[in-house]
Amino acid sequence: QVQLVESGGGLVQAGDSLRLSCTANGRTFDTYYDMAWFRQAPGEEREFVAAIGYTGGTTWFKDSVKGRFIITRDNRKSIMAMQMTSLLPADPGVYSCAAATPLGPLEATRAADFGSWGQGTQVTVSS
């Protein structure tokens, strides 16, 4: 299991941008793992936001963030990141990065398909 750590959250106003980062606690990323961002708002269930394939060549997103969020990874530096632009009041929550199992389903969006998680970083969007 890879221990993941997130950073970059904060309090912003609608229309602002944030960049979230995920690292592997001093360990290198296993390139067999797809990686993703999930978020959880107060009183809500955790939901999928964006993901990137283990090579970095394929990405997939929640419909409401398409065109606004970009997810990238640098396996050499063991960093996965999500650039969020044009943030909306509907975007806040605790954002967690996750790593899938090596043989997980194609373009997974279920939390159950991701076996390693960080503790999360808080994103708050004011209007």
Side-chain angles (χ1 to χ4, degrees), residues 18-20 37 49-52 59 61 65-73 80-85:
L18 279 175
R19 181 179 175 86
L20 306 183
W37 289 96
V49 179
I52 186 166
T59 59
F61 300 87
V65 308
K66 289 180 179 178
R68 298 190 295 119
F69 293 6
I70 298 173
I71 186 169
T72 59
R73 70 188 295 166
M80 189 270 287
M82 182 166 65
Q83 179 70 38
M84 305 184 293
T85 60

Side-chain angles (χ1 to χ4, degrees), residues 42-95:
E44 303 291 335
E45 294 186 346
R46 183 167 51 191
E47 66 175 355
F48 168 81
V49 179
I52 186 166
Y54 65 88
T55 67
T58 304
T59 59
W60 56 102
F61 300 87
K62 176 181 174 64
D63 286 344
S64 64
V65 308
K66 289 180 179 178
R68 298 190 295 119
F69 293 6
I70 298 173
I71 186 169
T72 59
R73 70 188 295 166
D74 186 335
N75 290 336
R76 182 178 60 83
K77 297 181 178 180
S78 297
I79 297 175
M80 189 270 287
M82 182 166 65
Q83 179 70 38
M84 305 184 293
T85 60
S86 300
L87 284 163
L88 301 171
D91 291 324
V94 176
Y95 282 69

